[in-house]
């Protein structure tokens, strides 16, 4: 098979999609985490400040999810079909939550009535938390494996998704996004809200560390296929070691109130955890718990070589543009949040 820099085209697309999902987690992760923390702020001014901290960037951050979905469809149409048909109900709920999250942010400030704003505050919290939990639930089931038959059709039911391991991954995702969001908000605020967020950041870090430990233990005990690559390639053990050190560094920088550094480390831990997930799955994308021969690998699911080459060129051109736009927006809206007449 044709290679580029020593890697075949399906592997390149596996890396591209992984990079896009990682970018989405880093960027929309703090938006969703901020939403999950929203009801912890009691004062109207605090809630407005928290909303306006993400106001200029939240919709642009979701572009990464759209691109990742398009890349999955283009590069691995079989996987796209298997995942979307299997997780049909969770993805429909996910889309509904995305809609309510958007209208909650936009509608909240349209009327001054307390009941109106309280209603959209609850909607914003519920939709942000639901999105995070659903993403974690899907990720947990992909790690754990799905009951697929030889035609790659899902043979379980809705309750199949709610296995203990997937639920644990869902809450680990929630804890990580809440930590990510709290660190972002503390960098963007000052005075009383800043003081409150320093406490929330510390509590969120403890929540995440607990979930991280439980998830690590559960993966080693109940998901043995995720360790096969590490047994065959001992040099890969540097990845889980790095993950532990990064988690400790997040806590150390939070305690030292070096929030920018802590935010960078929380981005890195997302990348590291997703790399561990990718290494454990490779060369498969979807694991079948029915029979290993029913697994869906990148080589079975990939588009034609010509399609992969053309789309890889498009990705090489388009991805830097999206990164450049994100950098421009964050640079433009850097600094502490100030409320104006145009604020949410």
């Amino acid at each position: 098979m044709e290679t580029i820099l020593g890697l075949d085209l399906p592997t390149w697309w596996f890396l591209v999609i992984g990079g896009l999902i990682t970018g989405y987690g880093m960027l929309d992760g703090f938006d969703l985490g901020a939403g999950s923390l929203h009801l912890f702020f009691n004062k109207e001014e605090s809630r407005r400040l928290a909303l306006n901290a993400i106001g200029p960037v939240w919709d642009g951050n979701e572009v990464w999810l759209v691109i990742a979905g398009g890349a999955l469809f283009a590069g691995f149409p079989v996987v796209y079909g298997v995942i979307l048909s299997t997780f049909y109900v969770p993805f429909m709920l996910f889309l509904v939550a995305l809609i309510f999250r958007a209208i909650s942010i936009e509608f909240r400030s349209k009327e001054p009535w307390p009941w109106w704003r309280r209603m959209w505050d609850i909607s914003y919290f519920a939709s942000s938390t639901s999105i995070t939990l659903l993403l974690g639930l899907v990720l947990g089931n992909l790690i754990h494996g799905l009951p697929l038959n030889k035609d790659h059709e899902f043979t379980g039911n809705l309750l199949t998704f709610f296995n203990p391991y997937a639920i644990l991954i869902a809450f680990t995702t929630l804890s990580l996004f809440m930590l990510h969001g709290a660190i972002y908000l503390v960098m963007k605020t000052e005075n009383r809200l800043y003081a409150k967020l320093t406490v929330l950041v510390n509590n969120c870090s403890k929540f995440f560390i607990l979930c991280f430990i439980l998830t690590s233990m559960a993966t080693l005990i109940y998901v043995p296929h995720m360790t096969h690559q590490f047994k065959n390639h001992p040099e890969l053990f540097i990845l889980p070691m790095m993950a532990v050190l990064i988690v400790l560094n997040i806590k150390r920088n939070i305690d030292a109130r070096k929030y920018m550094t802590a935010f960078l480390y929380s981005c890195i831990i997302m990348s590291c955890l997703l790399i561990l997930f990718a290494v454990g799955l490779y060369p498969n994308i979807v694991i079948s718990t029915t029979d290993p021969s029913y697994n869906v690998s990148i080589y079975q699911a990939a588009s034609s070589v010509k399609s992969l080459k053309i789309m890889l060129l498009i990705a090489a051109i388009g991805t830097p543009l999206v990164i450049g736009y994100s950098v421009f927006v964050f640079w433009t809206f850097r600094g502490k949040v100030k409320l104006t007449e145009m604020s949410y």
Side-chain angles (χ1 to χ4, degrees):
M1 183 176 289
E2 186 174 347
T3 62
I4 300 175
L5 299 177
L7 297 177
D8 54 59
L9 289 171
T11 300
W12 270 111
W13 267 100
F14 185 72
L15 295 175
V16 167
I17 293 169
L20 291 170
I21 293 172
T22 302
Y24 173 73
M26 290 179 180
L27 294 175
D28 209 32
F30 67 76
D31 294 344
L32 294 169
S36 296
L37 293 168
H38 194 66
L39 294 186
F40 287 91
F41 311 128
N42 298 318
K43 297 182 179 296
E44 169 69 11
E45 182 183 6
S46 297
R47 292 184 177 183
R48 289 189 66 203
L49 284 167
L51 271 175
N52 283 279
I54 67 163
V57 297
W58 69 269
D59 47 356
N61 292 342
E62 291 184 349
V63 170
W64 288 82
L65 181 63
V66 177
I67 297 173
L72 182 63
F73 174 73
F76 303 110
V78 174
V79 173
Y80 184 87
V82 170
I83 290 178
L84 263 71
S85 61
T86 298
F87 295 107
Y88 182 81
V89 173
F91 278 136
M92 288 299 102
L93 294 173
F94 176 80
L95 290 175
V96 171
L98 276 178
I99 293 168
F100 271 92
R101 175 174 173 248
I103 62 176
S104 298
I105 294 171
E106 296 296 336
F107 284 9
R108 185 188 187 277
S109 61
K110 301 306 180 185
E111 298 292 347
W113 309 319
W115 68 265
W116 173 270
R117 296 193 169 188
R118 192 180 308 112
M119 176 181 68
W120 292 117
D121 285 338
I122 294 171
S123 174
Y124 175 50
F125 163 80
S127 57
S128 298
T129 304
S130 298
I131 290 169
T132 305
L133 290 173
L134 286 167
L135 286 172
L137 195 70
V138 170
L139 180 63
N141 278 285
L142 288 175
I143 296 172
H144 180 268
L146 297 164
L148 302 179
N149 62 22
K150 63 179 181 179
D151 297 318
H152 305 316
E153 295 173 342
F154 180 65
T155 58
N157 53 47
L158 188 61
L159 293 179
T160 304
F161 301 135
F162 295 93
N163 58 80
Y165 183 79
I167 293 171
L168 178 58
I169 293 294
F171 278 97
T172 302
T173 305
L174 177 64
S175 68
L176 179 54
F177 281 10
M178 288 177 70
L179 173 61
H180 200 45
I183 298 172
Y184 180 78
L185 289 177
V186 82
M187 292 192 301
K188 300 290 289 184
T189 55
E190 51 193 352
N191 303 325
R192 287 183 299 180
L193 182 55
Y194 172 87
K196 183 178 183 66
L197 279 163
T198 56
V199 178
L200 278 176
V201 166
N202 190 49
N203 291 337
C204 287
S205 68
K206 294 175 182 176
F207 179 32
F208 170 64
I209 290 171
L210 175 62
C211 290
F212 177 79
I213 293 170
L214 291 175
T215 299
S216 300
M217 294 172 59
T219 302
L220 290 172
I221 297 171
Y222 298 110
V223 196
H225 62 258
M226 292 298 291
T227 64
H228 289 168
Q229 293 282 11
F230 298 93
K231 292 177 181 177
N232 297 330
H233 303 279
E235 65 275 11
L236 292 174
F237 271 103
I238 192 173
L239 292 173
M241 291 174 62
M242 283 177 58
V244 173
L245 291 175
I246 293 166
V247 170
L248 294 176
N249 265 305
I250 294 174
K251 180 61 176 162
R252 182 178 64 84
N253 281 282
I254 287 173
D255 291 341
R257 298 201 171 188
K258 297 179 179 178
Y259 295 116
M260 176 60 78
T261 307
F263 184 78
L264 292 175
Y265 274 117
S266 69
C267 289
I268 294 171
I269 192 60
M270 287 190 192
S271 177
C272 191
L273 291 175
L274 286 170
I275 289 171
L276 285 169
F277 164 59
V279 169
L281 283 186
Y282 184 83
N284 299 304
I285 299 184
V286 184
I287 299 292
S288 171
T289 56
T290 307
D291 189 325
S293 64
Y294 301 160
N295 292 349
V296 184
S297 74
I298 60 174
Y299 300 106
Q300 293 172 305
S303 296
S304 67
V305 172
K306 184 176 181 180
S307 297
L308 292 177
K309 289 175 68 175
I310 293 172
M311 291 184 297
L312 193 60
L313 178 60
I314 295 172
I317 297 171
T319 302
L321 294 177
V322 177
I323 293 173
Y325 167 79
S326 298
V327 171
F328 171 76
V329 170
F330 278 96
W331 178 258
T332 301
F333 294 98
R334 66 190 182 279
K336 302 291 184 179
V337 179
K338 304 291 183 182
L339 295 179
T340 67
E341 292 181 358
M342 302 300 293
S343 300
Y344 287 111

